[in-house]
Amino acid sequence: MKLKIKLPLLFLLVFMIIIFSIGTYVKIFLIGNVPFARNEIKEKHTTEYQKIADHVSGLYPDMEEIDDYLKQVFESQNISIILHNSDLSGESLSYLKSLDTSVLSNYWLPVRNYDNHIVFFLEIESPILIEDTLMTPSYIRMVFPLVIIICLIFIILIIYFHFNITKPIQILNSGLEKINIRRPFVPLYSKRKDEIGALYSRFNEMEGRLHLTSKEQSDMIAAIAHDLKTPLTSINGFVELLATQKSLPEKEKQEYYELIQKKSKYIVELINHFSTFTKEELELESIDPKPVDALKLFENIAEEYDTELSGLDYELTFNHSFTKNLFLMIDEHMIRRVFGNLFSNVVRYGEKKELKVYMSGYTKGQYAYFQVEDNGIGVPDKEISSLFLKFFTVDKSRQSKNGGMGLGLASCKSIIEHHSGEICAFHSEYGGLGIRFSLPIVT
């Protein structure tokens, strides 16, 4: 499941668990303990207010002192005070406040004289505030487990995020720090199917491409060095021979000069090939794709190369299943270059007298597929996967013989991938090599 779905569901589940836990806890424990908590508050207030009654008893019979004292208590506390006569008749001393609560506790406390006779009754009304209820020891004992449960839920969440998000990202960061094209490629492993798993896959692809690019660069330098070394060695040998052998016949000298010229032209040709490939790679960054009818493109390519191959006494067979109004968003010039490289490779490396070429096209899903096959000598199994590497050739002797640089298929791969397609090589059922590439269909 994707994180964009999993995380909201997880938070919703946690929220519902917390709300359910609080609701259940309040219903079972807290509400049932409200009377008990109120009794604790009343006992506490009774003890406090008895001290007021005792103080009034100490001031009796000085009514003026009693009045002043009760005023002070009234002004300092959120309570109402009424001093009644012992028989509850006659006038009373009253100190009333507007109490902003409907929950009131009423206390009747006797005021006695020095003979221990009741002379007054002290009536006190006191509100029971929510904060007073919540601060009672019984409520604190009841709420404490709920706090523990909520804390445990968040601890579990923290552990979940650590092992499912934080730690995988830390491993990925560690992998990024350790990227080194000189060490063996060891991919990061993850069974996950969400965004983290996809991130690991993309990381492995990135590191794999870095190693592949490094290998291609090394192979490219080695290939250029090899291709230049051979003719340069010959040129140096001929020049040394001409410099040391002054008495060579003119005819032989002329032959050496012609060989030097031939090798020099070959070097220039190698450099031109490399320059052209580099230029094409730069052009790919600014391709201009436009809608192109797949049916017309296939038929035009088939007609063009049918004529060209027949002039070489080769045969082209083609078929397709494209329909009208099937469009590809491509740079047609670049795609024609792909076909040009493929047919050029067939002619150059087919090495068969009665060479036959087969071209086909079809659609599958959201892609149009093109195949070019031949009945030539083909390519060994171990070389198939390396055909699209820069400067790779199956046989160096074939390269020098046929003038190839090993850049044609590498160029095809770059062009197709820049069009969001894929290209691959396979053993053709006709006996030779087959190349298949795909291009996305305009929807």
Side-chain angles (χ1 to χ4, degrees):
M1 185 184 293
K2 298 295 184 182
L3 285 176
K4 65 180 180 180
I5 299 175
K6 187 188 296 183
L7 290 182
L9 288 178
L10 177 63
F11 282 116
L12 178 61
L13 178 62
V14 171
F15 177 76
M16 292 176 65
I17 291 174
I18 292 175
I19 294 299
F20 177 78
S21 301
I22 292 175
T24 304
Y25 200 83
V26 168
K27 183 177 180 180
I28 296 176
F29 295 102
L30 298 188
I31 293 179
N33 281 277
V34 168
F36 184 71
R38 288 182 180 176
N39 289 336
E40 286 187 353
I41 295 172
K42 291 192 73 172
E43 289 177 4
K44 177 183 176 184
H45 286 177
T46 299
T47 302
E48 293 177 355
Y49 298 154
Q50 185 61 55
K51 293 179 181 179
I52 297 175
D54 292 343
H55 191 79
V56 172
S57 296
L59 296 176
Y60 182 80
D62 191 342
M63 295 304 298
E64 187 175 340
E65 287 288 337
I66 291 174
D67 184 44
D68 290 341
Y69 172 69
L70 292 179
K71 282 183 179 179
Q72 292 176 8
V73 173
F74 169 76
E75 291 173 355
S76 62
Q77 299 186 35
N78 187 29
I79 57 176
S80 294
I81 304 175
I82 303 175
L83 189 65
H84 297 279
N85 292 325
S86 59
D87 56 359
L88 301 180
S89 64
E91 295 184 359
S92 302
L93 293 175
S94 299
Y95 309 91
L96 301 176
K97 281 190 176 181
S98 175
L99 303 173
D100 54 350
T101 177
S102 60
V103 183
L104 295 173
S105 290
N106 190 271
Y107 304 86
W108 285 81
L109 303 166
V111 177
R112 303 176 185 274
N113 61 11
Y114 58 89
D115 291 331
N116 204 30
H117 293 115
I118 296 176
V119 292
F120 296 112
F121 281 104
L122 188 64
E123 181 186 359
I124 298 178
E125 285 188 344
S126 174
I128 299 179
L129 303 176
I130 295 177
E131 54 266 28
D132 293 334
T133 304
L134 296 178
M135 291 304 295
T136 59
S138 60
Y139 254 67
I140 291 175
R141 286 194 300 271
M142 292 299 104
V143 172
F144 185 72
L146 180 61
V147 174
I148 295 298
I149 292 173
I150 294 176
C151 289
L152 285 175
I153 291 174
F154 279 100
I155 289 173
I156 292 172
L157 269 180
I158 291 171
I159 294 173
Y160 173 83
F161 279 112
H162 172 73
F163 284 101
N164 286 273
I165 296 178
T166 306
K167 189 174 181 180
I169 292 177
Q170 288 175 342
I171 293 174
L172 189 60
N173 283 332
S174 177
L176 286 170
E177 292 175 357
K178 294 177 181 178
I179 286 181
N180 188 339
I181 57 176
R182 293 177 179 82
R183 72 176 179 86
F185 172 43
V186 181
L188 296 178
Y189 177 71
S190 175
K191 293 182 178 179
R192 297 174 61 164
K193 303 299 182 182
D194 55 12
E195 288 87 346
I196 297 293
L199 191 60
Y200 271 53
S201 297
R202 296 293 179 271
F203 173 81
N204 291 334
E205 290 176 7
M206 178 197 70
E207 188 171 5
R209 289 188 180 187
L210 286 175
H211 280 267
L212 180 60
T213 301
S214 175
K215 183 179 183 304
E216 286 183 346
Q217 289 178 346
S218 299
D219 293 344
M220 178 181 67
I221 293 171
I224 294 174
H226 176 273
D227 291 336
L228 292 177
K229 183 178 180 181
T230 302
L232 282 174
T233 301
S234 299
I235 291 173
N236 287 335
F238 294 141
V239 169
E240 184 177 353
L241 186 61
L242 290 170
T244 56
Q245 301 293 328
K246 302 293 186 180
S247 59
L248 288 173
E250 287 299 323
K251 183 178 180 181
E252 191 172 345
K253 286 183 180 180
Q254 186 62 33
E255 290 179 354
Y256 289 150
Y257 285 132
E258 289 176 357
L259 288 172
I260 291 173
Q261 186 179 31
K262 181 180 178 181
K263 297 295 181 180
S264 298
K265 286 182 178 179
Y266 178 68
I267 292 175
V268 172
E269 184 179 348
L270 289 176
I271 295 173
N272 286 337
H273 276 296
F274 179 68
S275 177
T276 301
F277 176 79
T278 305
K279 182 180 178 182
E280 290 176 354
E281 288 288 297
L282 293 175
E283 288 178 359
L284 286 175
E285 302 301 327
S286 58
I287 60 175
D288 183 23
K290 296 178 181 177
V292 175
D293 190 303
L295 176 60
K296 292 182 178 178
L297 175 66
F298 184 93
E299 291 178 346
N300 289 339
I301 296 293
E303 182 180 350
E304 176 182 344
Y305 287 99
D306 183 33
T307 303
E308 184 174 326
L309 291 174
S310 62
L312 299 171
D313 292 330
Y314 298 148
E315 180 183 344
L316 174 62
T317 302
F318 54 90
N319 63 82
H320 68 85
S321 60
F322 296 136
T323 59
K324 292 183 178 180
N325 298 320
L326 180 69
F327 289 94
L328 310 173
M329 186 63 73
I330 59 173
D331 185 318
E332 186 173 351
H333 172 70
M334 290 290 184
I335 299 303
R336 285 181 174 274
R337 187 178 295 171
V338 171
F339 281 107
N341 285 335
L342 296 182
F343 281 104
S344 176
N345 278 359
V346 170
V347 173
R348 184 176 295 165
Y349 301 116
E351 296 188 5
K352 195 167 185 179
K353 187 174 182 181
E354 296 181 357
L355 186 66
K356 293 183 179 181
V357 185
Y358 305 87
M359 178 181 170
S360 59
Y362 60 94
T363 59
K364 185 178 180 181
Q366 298 300 313
Y367 289 86
Y369 288 84
F370 298 86
Q371 289 185 177
V372 176
E373 305 170 71
D374 63 69
N375 65 339
I377 63 172
V379 173
D381 290 340
K382 63 179 181 179
E383 310 288 0
I384 285 283
S385 61
S386 302
L387 285 178
F388 298 98
L389 297 178
K390 298 179 181 69
F391 294 97
F392 175 83
T393 53
V394 177
D395 188 338
K396 290 294 181 182
S397 62
R398 287 174 66 189
Q399 174 183 349
S400 58
K401 176 183 176 182
N402 299 298
M405 278 284 293
L407 292 173
L409 290 180
S411 176
C412 293
K413 184 174 186 292
S414 294
I415 293 172
I416 297 303
E417 288 183 348
H418 272 78
H419 283 81
S420 301
E422 295 181 349
I423 189 169
C424 66
F426 60 94
H427 291 293
S428 172
E429 62 181 11
Y430 303 106
L433 178 67
I435 301 293
R436 179 192 304 115
F437 65 89
S438 62
L439 295 171
I441 298 171
V442 178
T443 57

